[in-house]
């Protein structure tokens, strides 16, 4: 099969790396890709939002399967356009991608199908939103309903902060159109984790759990980022909790989506809060997490292409996946200044040395090649992954690999995996 992956991050590097290992894959393209992806796929200079160009490329090159990485083209309807040309595509169509594209739509489904989540209300009128905030307790959570590149959530500690947040979202257009409608919800406490399933419209095949590290600096300090590191699986998601997630969250949302006339196909990423053994849903994403995907791909022992094909063809019930009985970690190296402003174009040396360390693999998030050298080309730049038999072995391997890398403009968190270590020491 000739396969096209859409996207240019670490997630897409991990997907390409795994797809390229499949005996089913005859030719692999990535649009637009990055310098790491170029080692396993042919990069094509088309951006993920350039829907028509992507469709034309897939048609002209007789692509057998398109795999869409990021949410924006999914919400824009890339899958619908490709399918209308008869091109098989992994990912939800536009109607199903609303699950991530509109938090108001998502929360209403939770209510309708009785899926455990934080209590909420949604508003398009500022004064009504303010009155609601005044009637609730703080902290309180404000969410821009639309896509806001992971930045549309404000956790307000006081009523004044909440009203200011609402003003920024609803009157001052801080998140543009995405903030015109706001979901206001109860603040949940507990431990956060993610859970991933493949869905073919009716059957859900569980993958693994993971835990992300969202803030920029050690000790969960600093501004929120796209994710500075992750590991999989997450020990908090025990087998018993996994069963609850499948029966009280995943099954009802899949049945609900089908019932609403927008059956879900693709990867479903549940963001969860776990307290006293009970999972509640914070959100669904309609894509793999980045950097969580990098850890999942390191642990998958089966042919990814077979699983993606079965998802598209509606026969996931025939697939059984094998996983390495190990832990995988990813530590992100980002450009100094990220998630604020940062510069690009600085040289990164010694990546080969990093990959000599047992169990490691470096995925590129934002790199390009400058003649023969890799240079930085984004906020998150590299994801250093390692597998191992426990968290300490994984951490030792990935941090040793980081020490081998020579990139003066980068920074990383030194505490990825702290929660597992702390919980063990309790
Ligand atoms: P979301 O994009 O909805 O996942 O929100 C981003 C982050 O905000 C989550 O990963 C949580 O850390 C936090 N968050 C979102 N909703 C809540 C909530 N209801 N209670 C506590 N924290 C939340
Ligand atoms: N790492 C979190 C996300 O991909 O949304």
């Amino acid at each position: 099969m000739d396969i096209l992956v859409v996207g240019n991050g670490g997630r897409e590097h991990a997907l390409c790396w795994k797809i390229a290992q499949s005996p089913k894959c005859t030719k692999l393209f990535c649009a637009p890709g990055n310098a790491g992806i170029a080692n396993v796929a042919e990069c094509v200079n088309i951006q993920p939002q350039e829907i028509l160009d992507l469709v034309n490329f897939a048609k002209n090159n007789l692509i057998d399967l398109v795999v869409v990485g990021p949410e924006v083209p999914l919400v824009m309807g890339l899958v619908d356009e490709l399918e209308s040309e008869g091109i098989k595509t992994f990912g939800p169509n536009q109607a199903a991608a609303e699950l991530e594209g509109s938090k108001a739509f998502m929360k209403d489904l939770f209510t309708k199908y009785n899926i455990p989540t934080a209590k909420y209300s949604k508003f398009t009128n500022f004064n009504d939103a303010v009155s609601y905030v005044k009637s609730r307790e703080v902290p309180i959570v404000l969410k821009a309903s639309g896509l806001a590149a992971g930045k549309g959530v404000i956790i307000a500690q006081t009523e004044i902060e909440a009203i200011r947040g609402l003003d920024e979202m609803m009157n001052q257009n801080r998140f543009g159109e995405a903030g015109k409608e706001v979901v206001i919800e109860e603040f949940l406490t507990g431990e956060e984790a993610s859970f991933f399933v493949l869905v073919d419209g009716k059957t859900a095949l569980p993958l693994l759990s993971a835990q992300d590290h969202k803030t920029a600096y050690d000790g969960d300090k600093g501004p929120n980022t796209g994710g500075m590191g992750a590991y999989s699986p997450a020990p908090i998601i025990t087998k018993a909790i996994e069963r609850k997630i499948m029966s009280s969250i995943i099954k009802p949302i899949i049945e609900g989506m089908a019932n609403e006339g927008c059956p879900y196909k693709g990867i479903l990423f549940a963001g969860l809060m776990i307290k006293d053994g009970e999972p509640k849903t914070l959100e669904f994403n309609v894509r793999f997490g980045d950097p969580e995907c990098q850890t999942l791909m390191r642990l998958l022992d089966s042919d990814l292409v077979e699983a993606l094909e079965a998802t598209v063809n509606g026969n996931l019930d025939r697939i059984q996946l094998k996983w390495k009985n190990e832990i995988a970690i990813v530590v992100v190296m980002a450009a100094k200044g990220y998630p604020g402003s940062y510069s690009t174009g600085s040289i990164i040396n010694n990546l080969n040395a990093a990959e000599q360390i047992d169990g490691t693999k470096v995925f590129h998030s934002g790199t390009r090649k400058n003649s023969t050298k890799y240079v930085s080309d984004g906020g998150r730049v590299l994801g250093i992954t390692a597998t191992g038999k426990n968290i300490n072995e994984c951490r030792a391997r990935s941090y040793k690999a980081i020490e081998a890398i020579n990139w003066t403009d980068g920074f990383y968190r030194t505490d990825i995996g702290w929660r597992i270590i702390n919980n063990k020491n309790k």
Side-chain angles (χ1 to χ4, degrees):
M1 296 170 80
D2 287 4
I3 301 175
L4 167 66
V5 172
V6 175
N8 63 352
R11 164 180 56 206
E12 288 78 18
H13 189 186
L15 290 171
C16 285
W17 172 79
K18 193 68 194 166
I19 289 171
Q21 292 168 28
S22 168
K24 293 195 150 204
C25 178
T26 39
K27 175 101 186 110
L28 180 59
F29 297 96
C30 186
N34 62 39
I37 293 175
N39 296 326
V40 286
E42 185 178 324
C43 293
V44 186
N45 190 15
I46 308 175
Q47 296 304 311
Q49 301 89 306
E50 293 174 340
I51 305 288
L52 283 181
D53 290 344
L54 288 170
V55 174
N56 283 333
F57 178 86
K59 260 167 60 181
N60 294 338
N61 290 276
L62 305 176
I63 296 294
D64 300 297
L65 177 68
V66 179
V67 180
V68 186
E71 65 278 17
V72 170
L74 294 169
V75 172
M76 287 171 74
L78 175 59
V79 174
D80 311 60
E81 295 295 329
L82 287 163
E83 284 181 342
S84 73
E85 295 290 342
I87 300 162
K88 290 197 169 178
T89 310
F90 176 85
N93 65 15
Q94 189 167 30
E98 275 302 273
L99 202 53
E100 179 166 355
S102 164
K103 287 188 192 286
F105 169 78
M106 174 186 78
K107 294 289 287 192
D108 289 349
L109 282 186
F110 290 174
T111 307
K112 187 164 172 188
Y113 296 99
N114 223 350
I115 295 169
T117 190
K119 288 196 191 69
Y120 77 105
S121 225
K122 53 180 189 174
F123 299 92
T124 50
N125 177 289
F126 174 71
N127 292 329
D128 293 347
V130 170
S131 308
Y132 181 74
V133 159
K134 287 186 170 162
S135 72
R136 312 293 305 177
E137 313 237 294
V138 289
I140 193 159
V141 184
L142 318 175
K143 298 184 174 183
S145 179
L147 286 187
K151 301 190 181 77
V153 175
I154 297 176
I155 297 177
Q157 299 298 335
T158 64
E159 197 178 292
I160 292 175
E161 226 178 286
I163 294 169
R164 199 185 310 130
L166 288 173
D167 181 50
E168 284 173 8
M169 282 189 187
M170 303 179 84
N171 299 331
Q172 295 176 43
N173 285 335
R174 176 163 160 200
F175 303 113
E177 278 304 304
K180 290 282 165 213
E181 185 167 24
V182 174
V183 168
I184 305 181
E185 66 181 39
E186 160 198 30
F187 178 75
L188 296 178
T189 55
E191 189 170 325
E192 234 181 297
S194 317
F195 194 73
F196 296 86
V197 290
L198 288 175
V199 185
D200 67 2
K202 47 191 191 303
T203 302
L205 181 67
L207 303 183
L208 295 178
S209 59
Q211 266 176 321
D212 191 11
H213 298 63
K214 281 190 201 282
T215 62
Y217 313 128
D218 283 7
D220 283 347
K221 300 243 161 51
N224 266 344
T225 70
M228 291 298 289
Y231 47 78
S232 175
I236 175 107
I237 310 244
T238 57
K239 275 283 156 204
I241 295 181
E242 179 176 330
R243 279 194 292 276
K244 281 188 192 165
I245 295 169
M246 289 304 289
S247 63
S248 71
I249 296 172
I250 303 294
K251 196 165 169 274
I253 196 72
I254 292 170
E255 288 172 2
M257 294 289 283
N259 194 40
E260 296 296 312
C262 47
Y264 191 89
K265 273 192 180 196
I267 175 83
L268 187 59
F269 163 174
L272 304 162
M273 189 71 90
I274 322 278
K275 192 175 183 194
D276 303 328
E278 293 301 325
K280 285 193 175 170
T281 320
L282 290 175
E283 61 164 352
F284 279 118
N285 294 310
V286 298
R287 51 178 174 80
F288 279 102
D290 187 340
E292 295 91 326
C293 180
Q294 289 85 312
T295 59
L296 264 56
M297 291 305 115
R298 288 300 314 276
L299 294 174
L300 181 62
D301 245 348
S302 304
D303 185 344
L304 176 64
V305 175
E306 258 180 29
L308 300 177
E309 251 193 307
T311 307
V312 175
N313 293 336
N315 47 30
L316 264 183
D317 53 341
R318 293 190 210 151
I319 297 284
Q320 270 196 324
L321 295 176
K322 283 205 217 88
W323 298 93
K324 289 189 175 60
N325 190 16
E326 288 187 312
I327 288 190
I329 191 175
V330 55
V331 180
V332 170
M333 293 183 83
K336 282 179 189 161
Y338 172 79
S341 60
Y342 54 83
S343 57
T344 60
S346 58
I347 293 176
I348 305 163
N349 279 317
N350 290 356
L351 286 178
N352 281 342
E355 289 194 332
Q356 298 308 309
I357 291 156
D358 264 358
T360 61
K361 167 77 199 156
V362 177
F363 291 120
H364 295 224
S365 304
T367 61
R368 62 188 148 86
K369 258 211 168 142
N370 195 349
S371 64
T372 58
K373 296 274 186 206
Y374 290 111
V375 297
S376 62
D377 196 30
R380 291 189 293 175
V381 173
L382 300 168
I384 290 73
T385 67
T387 52
K389 55 185 181 304
N390 56 46
I391 190 72
N392 289 330
E393 185 170 70
C394 289
R395 277 174 50 83
R397 288 174 167 178
S398 53
Y399 284 110
K400 197 166 166 201
I402 285 178
E403 273 167 33
I405 294 172
N406 185 347
W407 177 37
T408 47
D409 265 359
F411 80 99
Y412 57 90
R413 278 182 63 159
T414 65
D415 64 348
I416 302 303
W418 67 266
R419 192 172 256 119
I420 305 188
I421 294 165
N422 269 19
N423 285 348
K424 274 202 183 124
N425 292 340
K426 263 184 197 161

